[in-house]
Amino acid sequence: MTGKRLPNGGQIERAKVFSFEFNGRKYSGFAGDTLASALLANGVRLTARSFKYHRPRGIVGSGFEEPSTMVELLGDDASANRPVTVVALRDGLRAKSVNCWPSASFDIGALTQVISRFIPAGFYYKTFKWPNWHLFEPWIRRAAGLASAPRSQPKQGHFENRFVHTDVLIAGAGPAGLISALILGRAGLRVMICDESAAAGGSLLNRQLEINAQPATVWVDKTVAELAAMPNVTHLQNATVWAYREHNYLMVNEREPGSANILERNWRVRACKVICATGAIERSLVFGNNDTPGVMLSSAVQTYINRYAVLPGKRAIVFTNNNSAYSVVADLVSAGMNVAAIVDSRINVPKSVQDLVGDVNILSNHVVLKSLGYRSVRGVKVQANDGGPSQTISCDLLLHSGGWNPAVHLWSQSRGSLKFDDKLAAFIPNEPAQSTVSVGAASGQFELTDALRTGAETAASIAGIPISDIPNSNDTPYAITPLWCVKAARGKAFLDIQNDVTVDDVHLALREGYDNVEHVKRYTTGGMGIDQGKIGNINIIGTVALAKGLPANEIGTTTFRSPYTPVSFGAISGIREGSVTLPYRHTPITAWNHAKGAFMYESGARWRRPGYFPNEGEKFQDAVNRECFAVRNGVGVYDGSPLGTFELKGRDVGRFLDYIYTNIMSTLIPGKARYGLMLSDDGLILDDGVVLRLSEHRWIVSTSTGHADAMNSHMEELLQTEFSDWNVFVTTVTSQWNNATICGPKARDVIEALSPNFDTSRDALPFMSFVDGEIAGLPTRVVRVSYTGELSYEINVAPRHMHALWDKVLSAGEHVGIVPVGSEASHVLRVEKGFLSLGHEVDGTVDPYDLGMGWAMSKKKQDYVGKHAVNLRRAGTTNRRELVGVIPEPDRMIPEGAPLTLGGERKATEGLITACVWSVVNHRWVGLALLENGKSRHGETAHVRLKDSIVPVKITPPVHYDPDGERLRS
C-alpha cells in the first residue's frame, strides 16, 4: 500500500474522524475529505475497472474532471456513477466500484484484455450484424457500461426547482469569479455566483500562492465573508451551472442545498449578463499504459497534498510539456516526497521554473514511453525525443501534465465561437453569441495576476465604474510546447481514459473514412458520456491533426453538450407536490383564505384559489349550497384576480381585435365593455372574455384563467408574423390588477356602503360598462359584468390595495350577510345560467353555432380568425353536437362525461353530459350536455348510459335560470 496522511496542513478537520466502507472494507478519514482523498490516504490504489477492457484503474483527478473511478453509493445515499473525487466523506458512507465483478481486484471482465486487439473502436457495428444486432445488444451493454440505476430507497426528502432573475450570473468561484462578484456586489447589482466545488477559491485552495503578500486563502476567506454580508448577492457552493440555453437562460444544480428535507435543488436562472469564470482543466499526456493505477494528473496530486494533506506516493516522476508542473514539484518536495526526475518533452526549459525545483533531476527533451506495472505503477520507460536507448526509472507515482484547456463548455453551449491559440495550444473563447464573457483561466489567462485582472476589468465594465485596485500575486509564468501523443509509445496509449479510446482507435476511424472530428467522436466514443471532453478532447483533436498533417484550428472541436456534469433526473424534473416544479401563483388574500378554512384548489396556470368555505362540521355540498343561496338571494364576493388581463395600446388595436374576435369590437365607445369569442384557425372556440375600451387607442382584454398564456402567444404570433406593420402593443397585466367581485341582488347595497365617488345606479353604471374612481378611499376601476347571472360589480385595484379592499367589502356587506364564494359555487351558478366553460362545453369539437352563440358571429366583417373554417366544417355535416340543458328523471346526480343516447337500449353515443349540479333555485339536479341536433330535441327524453344503469333525462334549453337576463341587468 502506498500513500499516507501528512501530519500537518490541509483543509480537513482532524478532530472529526469518519468511518466509511469501500468495496466491503472499513477505512477512516476526516471531515472535509472526499472519498478519493480518504482512499489515497489509506493507500488504496486500485479503485475501478475500465469501461471497455476492464483494465485496472485508479484515481486520476481531483474534481469533476475525474475520468477513471466512478462509484456507486449504497444505503441512504443510494446513487450511481458518481466520480469518486466529488463524493464528500461522511460517517457511515458506503460505496463500491462499478463495472467489475465480482470485485475491482478480481474482475472476470478482465478476460476481454486477452482479445483486446479484436475489439477496437466500432467493432460491434461490424461484428454483430448477423443474424440480428438485438441478440447481442443486451450482452454488450452488460459487459461494457457503468452502474445500474439504484434499487434501494434513497433517504427521505424531495427535489426542488427554483426560478430566479439576476443582473449577473457568475459561473465559478475561483479567483476571477470571486473578484468579479465582489466588484459587482459592491456596485449594488443583483449577483448570483455558483461554483461546483465544496468551497470557494478554485485553484487557490490547491496551490501555495500569495495575493498581496498574504496566503491566497486569506484573500478568499475575506472575499467570501464580504459577499455573504451583501443582500444582493446569492452565493452557492456545490452548485454546477450545467446548461446554457437561449436568451441567457441557465440551469444550476445545487447538490447540497443545506435543508434537511431537500435532496437537490435545480435553479432556472434568467440573467442579464453571464460571466464564465469556469477555470481550466489540466489535460493528460498520451503514452503507453497511461491508465495504470498511480498515474495521476499533476494538479490532482498538488490538490491532495495542499487541500487534503495526503501524499499519494513515496517516489514520484513528473512528465510534462509545460511550466505548471514545476510548481507541483516544488510542493511535492516541500511535503517530503522523493522526486526521482522531471521528464520534460521540451528542448529548452525556462530557467525561472528550473529554479523552483532546486536540484531535482530534469530530463529535458525526453518523453515517457510507457508506465510499468499492472495493479499499480512501479516504474517508467524514458527515452530522448531524438531516439536512442531507453532507461527505466523506478517510482510508485507518475504525475503527468499535458497543459491546460480553458473550460469552454458553458461558452460553447451559449453558441459562442472558439479559436485555437497557438501560444497556449488550446481552444479559447472567441466571439460571443449571447450576453456573456469569459474571464480568468476560462479565457486563457492562466496566470493568477492576469486572471484577477480580467475578472476585475469585466466586472467594472458591467457595473460602469472605474477599475479598483487589482490584487497582485506570485504566480509562475505559463509556457507550453504541445505534445499530442508520444509517437514511440509502447502499450495502449489512451486519449480518453474514461471511454477506453486509444490513439490506434482514432487512426482506425481515419482509415475508415471518418475524418471529421465529430465523426471520429462517434466512431470511437471519445469525449462522450460523463467526460464530455474535459480531459481527452483536445488530445483527440491534436492526434487527428497530426495524422492529417493539418493545424489543430482546422480540425475544430466537437460539440460541448449539456449537462456539463451528471445531473440526477430528480433534480431536473423536481416534484409535482407543493409549489416546487411550477411555482403556485397566489393572490394577496391567499393567507386570508387559509385562515378562513377555505378548501384550496389548483386553478389554470397554477393559481391557488378557494374551492369552497366550509363552516365547522359542514359537508361539501352543504357549503356549496349555502354560497350559491347567498348569491341568488343576498350577496356574495369572490376573488377574480386570476382572470387573464392584457392591456393593448396603439392606433390599430380596434381592427386587430376585430380580426381575432368573431364579433365587432372597434365600434365600442370608451367606458363600455363587450363580450366576445376568439376562434382558432380551424374554427373552434379558443377562448371567450370581455373587452373594455379605455380610450381611443387603449383597451383591456380579459381572458379565461387557464388560457391566459395561450392567448398572449396567440396575439403575439399574429402581430409578429401577419401584422408586423400594425401599431399594436400587448402588455400582460394579469398580476397588476386584482379584483373583488360583489355579486347578488344586494350587491348595490354593498357598493354604496363603500362610499364610492361616482354614481352606481343602473342608469349611471349599466350592465357592460365601467368607471374609474375611488371606493373606500382606494383608487379603483369598477366593471359591470356578470359571470353568475346576478347583479355584479367587479372592483379592480392594484395588488397592494387588494387585502384592504377585501376587508372593507366584507365589513360593508356584513349588514346584508355577505358570504365569500369559491369556485365550486361559481361553477354551479354558471351552469344554472348556461354560461360556457372551457374544457366542459367548449371541448375542442364545437363552434359558436353549436353553443347557441351565432349572435356573436359577425355577418358584417369580411374576415376574422376561423371564419372560413367554420363555414367549411358546417357545410360538411348535418349532425352537429349542440348545447342543451338536461334534467335527470328521477332527480339524481349524473357524472360529467357520461354518454347520452336516445332510447333506453344501448345505442351508439350521440352526446355527453358536460356538467351536472344541484341547483338551489330549481331545488333539484340540473345539467348541460352536448347532443347531436340538440336544439331540435327540446322536450324529448334522452338516456344517460352509466356502468350499472340507464338514467332518463329531459332535454331542455340550456338556461335553467333567468333566461331573459333581467337579474344580471338589474
Side-chain angles (χ1 to χ4, degrees), residues 219-282:
W219 178 83
V220 171
D221 293 340
K222 289 181 179 179
T223 303
V224 170
E226 185 173 347
L227 291 175
M230 295 180 182
N232 55 313
V233 175
T234 301
H235 184 178
L236 304 178
Q237 290 297 141
N238 270 315
T240 302
V241 184
W242 61 270
Y244 198 142
R245 303 289 189 250
E246 294 80 4
H247 308 296
N248 274 14
Y249 185 53
L250 300 99
M251 310 289 185
V252 181
N253 178 218
E254 186 181 7
R255 292 175 295 277
E256 299 288 342
S259 177
N261 64 330
I262 299 178
L263 301 177
E264 293 181 26
R265 179 180 291 130
N266 196 47
W267 295 77
R268 299 168 187 264
V269 184
R270 185 78 71 180
C272 293
K273 190 80 174 182
V274 175
I275 295 178
C276 291
T278 47
I281 300 172
E282 190 172 31

Side-chain angles (χ1 to χ4, degrees), residues 13 21 96 99 229 407 422 482 505 634 666 749 828:
E13 299 180 56
E21 180 183 303
K96 69 174 185 177
N99 196 41
D422 291 317
D505 290 330
S666 58
D749 295 340
V828 173

Side-chain angles (χ1 to χ4, degrees), residues 648 652 656 713-730:
L648 277 63
D652 294 315
F656 176 64
S713 298
H714 178 60
M715 290 187 288
E716 287 290 355
E717 181 180 2
L718 288 171
L719 289 172
Q720 293 181 33
T721 59
E722 295 191 36
F723 309 115
S724 58
D725 57 333
W726 284 14
N727 184 244
V728 179
F729 299 93
V730 179

Side-chain angles (χ1 to χ4, degrees), residues 510-526:
L510 295 175
R511 287 198 302 273
E512 297 204 0
Y514 298 96
D515 56 354
N516 182 284
V517 69
E518 291 282 11
H519 295 162
V520 171
K521 171 182 176 178
R522 283 152 182 80
Y523 188 92
T524 65
T525 71

Side-chain angles (χ1 to χ4, degrees), residues 240-503:
T240 302
V241 184
W242 61 270
Y244 198 142
R245 303 289 189 250
E246 294 80 4
H247 308 296
N248 274 14
Y249 185 53
L250 300 99
M251 310 289 185
V252 181
N253 178 218
E254 186 181 7
R255 292 175 295 277
E256 299 288 342
S259 177
N261 64 330
I262 299 178
L263 301 177
E264 293 181 26
R265 179 180 291 130
N266 196 47
W267 295 77
R268 299 168 187 264
V269 184
R270 185 78 71 180
C272 293
K273 190 80 174 182
V274 175
I275 295 178
C276 291
T278 47
I281 300 172
E282 190 172 31
R283 63 177 177 251
S284 59
L285 284 169
V286 184
F287 53 90
N289 299 336
N290 58 340
D291 64 328
T292 306
V295 178
M296 301 177 66
L297 292 172
S298 63
S299 61
V301 175
Q302 189 177 35
T303 298
Y304 290 118
I305 291 174
N306 292 322
R307 190 167 178 176
Y308 303 106
V310 171
L311 209 58
K314 297 178 180 178
R315 178 179 168 87
I317 290 176
V318 179
F319 181 23
T320 186
N321 63 350
N322 67 89
N323 287 0
S324 67
Y326 286 79
S327 66
V328 178
V329 174
D331 289 351
L332 290 174
V333 173
S334 177
M337 180 174 285
N338 176 13
V339 180
I342 300 173
V343 180
D344 197 321
S345 62
R346 297 176 293 179
I347 297 174
N348 298 312
V349 179
K351 178 74 164 53
S352 59
V353 295
Q354 292 187 44
D355 293 341
L356 291 176
V357 299
D359 58 358
V360 174
N361 183 28
I362 300 175
L363 298 175
S364 61
N365 197 27
H366 278 67
V367 293
V368 170
L369 298 179
K370 66 181 295 187
S371 70
L372 305 175
Y374 182 67
R375 294 176 180 269
S376 179
V377 65
R378 56 181 176 81
V380 297
K381 285 280 188 182
V382 178
Q383 186 183 54
N385 269 324
D386 51 6
S390 63
Q391 58 177 307
T392 300
I393 306 175
S394 64
C395 65
D396 63 356
L397 182 64
L398 172 56
L399 289 67
H400 58 123
S401 172
W404 292 84
N405 302 322
V408 296
H409 300 68
L410 274 184
W411 175 273
S412 295
Q413 288 179 28
S414 74
R415 300 306 181 195
S417 64
L418 300 172
K419 66 179 180 180
F420 189 78
D421 188 302
D422 291 317
K423 185 178 179 181
L424 300 176
F427 286 92
I428 64 174
N430 188 22
E431 294 294 331
Q434 300 191 50
S435 184
T436 183
V437 62
S438 287
V439 298
S443 65
Q445 302 297 330
F446 296 149
E447 296 169 30
L448 180 55
T449 300
D450 292 334
L452 291 167
R453 175 182 52 78
T454 59
E457 290 176 348
T458 297
S461 175
I462 293 172
I465 59 176
I467 299 174
S468 57
D469 292 335
I470 300 174
N472 58 68
S473 72
N474 62 336
D475 202 1
T476 304
Y478 180 75
I480 182 174
T481 300
L483 175 65
W484 302 122
C485 61
V486 176
K487 294 181 179 179
R490 303 170 188 173
K492 288 190 178 294
F494 290 95
L495 293 162
D496 183 332
I497 293 177
Q498 183 174 105
N499 295 301
D500 276 2
V501 178
T502 66
V503 173

